[in-house]
Amino acid sequence: MALGWFYSPSQIRRYILSRPTSLKPPRAQLRNPIAILRELDAHQWQMFSVGFIGWTWDAFDFFTVALTVTEIAKDFGVENSQVTWGITVTLMLRSVGALIFGSLSDRYGRKWPFIFNLGLFIILELASGFCQNLSQFLAVRSLYGIAMGGLFGPAAATALEDLPYDARGLLSGLYQQGYAMGYLLAAIFYRALVPTTTHGWRSIFWFGACPPVLIIAYRLWLPETNHFQVMAAEREEKERLRSAHGGTMQHAGAKAWLHQMKLDLKRNWVLFIYMVFLMTGFNSVSHGSQDLYPTFLKNQVEMNPSQTTIISVVGQIGALIGGTTIGYISAFSGRRLVMLICCVLGGCILPAYIIPRSMSLVASAFFMQFFVGGVWGPIPIHLSELSPPALKTTVVGFTYQLGNLASSASATIQGIIGERFPISPRCVGAVCTPRFDYGRVIGIFIGAVYAWMIVFLLIGPEMEEKERKEYAVTTDDLEDLRKKGNSLQEIGKERARRAFDAERRASAAGQGSSSDLEKPPVGEHIEATTGIHV
């Protein structure tokens, strides 16, 4: 996926014609997943674990609203669709958090933005449970959206960037299903706390503020990621070398980061736009199939809390299995191909997801969420592979959350349109509860979103097989050097020196200088390692 792939008519033509053939699976053979996982050392397992747990609790806190829409609406005396704005405003403001904390993470490291966001979770979950009216609730959930959006990028980088290359597809799928695990835990604690405690829906929010304390303690105990330490040393050494040849050395760290950021933004702006459109579809299928589904089960299908919990839990188990399985397969079959297959199969399951009016919905929920989770499985590593190295956390988090912004009204749109299709009310004695055809709206919405995703996956870029191999060797070389006792800072500095020498030789070649051309050749992986194209 060369830089500038979308800038001229000839490039556009060549690129579009190459899309069908680019879906051809690479020639890599499937490796035993157990053998892959055995290659991870204690540091890599711990970094993955804390990133996964952080993202899981991020999702738990989000789904506390989706699962308690009807209870909150009854307590505040408003319509269900008004409460779903608590979901919408959270999604709308996630992009703000992603931009702020993604930039901080790329500049200063993954660790402290991760910790700070979890601290905000504690405060805002407690505050959510103390809200006395809808306005207060929406204000608190708006602030929560900033914190939620700020965590995804640092958590994904923490979990994935120190892993061996072959493990990234498998664990990318498992990492992304922290979202499903959060939903599953929220459904379980919804059943355990909301119908059984005197404070009802408020109790699940108060409970949600407790585990982040332990996650913060765990992250404090762990170091910064190896990848970031190498990258920071590399860019500062490059800036020092440039300064030594005609510049100053003031504020090298910030200067180096800003220089690389401007360069990457200039080169990749069209790619960033594409990633936002892609993530709009992905977030829409996730929220469209999940956020209003508990309301559909309780209001239209007339499931009780236990039945709603069972269906929700089984669905998220399907997502966990699907995301992990498809993420693993994507490392050997290509990312886009398996995601396209999941979109097609998910569309085939759609009628069974909304038509039955019995506990047979357990099976269809499992398979629908298997394919929703499956299409999401490769996304963390796919976005990471598309992103330039110096802006990896910012781009992954920001494009993901801008997609969330574009899809933020999914639940509210479904709720408002659904209320235009009333069905026979449910009456207990003299009290009647309005019922609506939410299933019809969910079905049409998800079908349209799957079509959107298929189009953008077909036209989208992906790492080529040659690039994958180079990237894999670069990643594994870093681990080999570290295990041999080399300092992470020295590894970064050495990469910067090699890249800087390559730049000078390229410049000298253009000017016809022979002295610089006599220098020894650089390694084959500088481009993949440093982001400097020579």
Side-chain angles (χ1 to χ4, degrees), residues 159-380:
L160 300 176
E161 67 185 10
D162 282 353
L163 296 176
Y165 182 78
D166 282 352
R168 293 186 178 189
L170 174 61
L171 291 180
S172 169
L174 180 57
Y175 169 81
Q176 184 57 40
Q177 296 322 305
Y179 194 78
M181 179 66 77
Y183 193 128
L184 189 154
L185 291 173
I188 292 171
F189 283 102
Y190 163 82
R191 179 63 186 88
L193 298 172
V194 175
T196 61
T197 60
T198 56
H199 293 289
W201 65 269
R202 300 177 188 274
S203 58
I204 194 172
F205 288 93
W206 294 334
F207 170 76
C210 300
V213 177
L214 301 177
I215 304 171
I216 288 172
Y218 188 17
R219 187 65 188 96
L220 281 169
W221 179 65
L222 295 172
E224 183 55 79
T225 65
N226 295 337
H227 177 87
F228 178 81
Q229 292 183 61
V230 171
M231 184 178 70
E234 181 181 350
R235 71 187 178 202
E236 292 189 22
E237 179 68 7
K238 283 191 288 187
E239 188 63 27
R240 187 193 69 78
L241 291 169
R242 289 192 182 101
S243 299
H245 288 77
T248 61
M249 191 53 195
Q250 296 178 351
H251 310 298
K255 187 176 180 181
W257 176 69
L258 287 170
H259 173 82
Q260 193 64 50
M261 181 183 71
K262 291 177 182 177
L263 187 63
D264 286 336
L265 285 172
K266 182 178 179 180
R267 287 173 167 174
N268 295 282
W269 64 272
V270 175
L271 177 61
F272 297 160
I273 293 172
Y274 164 79
M275 291 166 72
V276 172
F277 278 102
L278 181 67
M279 296 317 299
T280 297
F282 274 70
N283 282 291
S284 294
V285 79
S286 178
H287 294 296
S289 67
Q290 294 173 359
D291 293 358
L292 202 68
Y293 201 65
T295 305
F296 159 74
L297 294 175
K298 289 183 283 186
N299 180 274
Q300 184 173 352
V301 188
E302 298 185 302
M303 295 289 186
N304 62 40
S306 294
Q307 292 171 317
T308 300
T309 300
I310 290 169
I311 293 173
S312 298
V313 167
V314 170
Q316 295 315 304
I317 291 172
L320 280 165
I321 296 171
T324 305
T325 303
I326 302 303
Y328 162 65
I329 294 172
S330 76
F332 305 96
S333 65
R335 315 294 186 199
R336 289 163 50 240
L337 178 62
V338 291
M339 290 190 284
L340 279 166
I341 293 171
C342 284
C343 287
V344 173
L345 295 178
C348 294
I349 293 293
L350 187 53
Y353 192 58
I354 58 173
I355 292 175
R357 295 294 179 265
S358 67
M359 284 302 290
S360 62
L361 283 168
V362 168
S364 50
F366 176 88
F367 286 107
M368 172 57 78
Q369 293 306 319
F370 180 95
F371 293 119
V372 171
V375 81
W376 269 101
I379 275 296

Side-chain angles (χ1 to χ4, degrees), residues 126-138:
L126 287 172
S128 296
F130 284 107
C131 292
Q132 298 302 308
N133 55 57
L134 183 62
S135 297
Q136 292 176 6
F137 185 76
L138 295 181

Side-chain angles (χ1 to χ4, degrees), residues 39 104 134 183 230 234 299 301 327 377 389 402 429 435 457 459 474:
E39 295 176 355
L104 291 173
L134 183 62
Y183 193 128
V230 171
E234 181 181 350
N299 180 274
V301 188
L402 280 178
R435 295 171 63 234
L457 285 170
I459 67 172
T474 301

Side-chain angles (χ1 to χ4, degrees), residues 233-234 237 489-500:
E234 181 181 350
E237 179 68 7
Q489 286 71 29
E490 281 304 316
I491 295 172
K493 289 179 181 180
E494 179 59 27
R495 288 183 172 185
R497 295 182 194 115
R498 293 167 63 192
F500 185 73

Side-chain angles (χ1 to χ4, degrees), residues 393-453:
T393 307
T394 304
V395 171
V396 170
F398 192 48
T399 56
Y400 176 92
Q401 302 303 354
L402 280 178
N404 256 317
L405 173 61
S407 67
S408 59
S410 296
T412 302
I413 289 171
Q414 289 175 330
I416 291 173
I417 296 176
E419 289 171 4
R420 295 180 181 177
F421 298 96
I423 57 179
S424 58
R426 178 178 56 194
C427 295
V428 179
V431 179
C432 291
T433 301
R435 295 171 63 234
F436 304 99
D437 193 356
Y438 292 121
R440 179 196 300 187
V441 179
I442 291 173
I444 295 172
F445 186 90
I446 298 175
V449 170
Y450 271 135
W452 172 283
M453 294 166 65

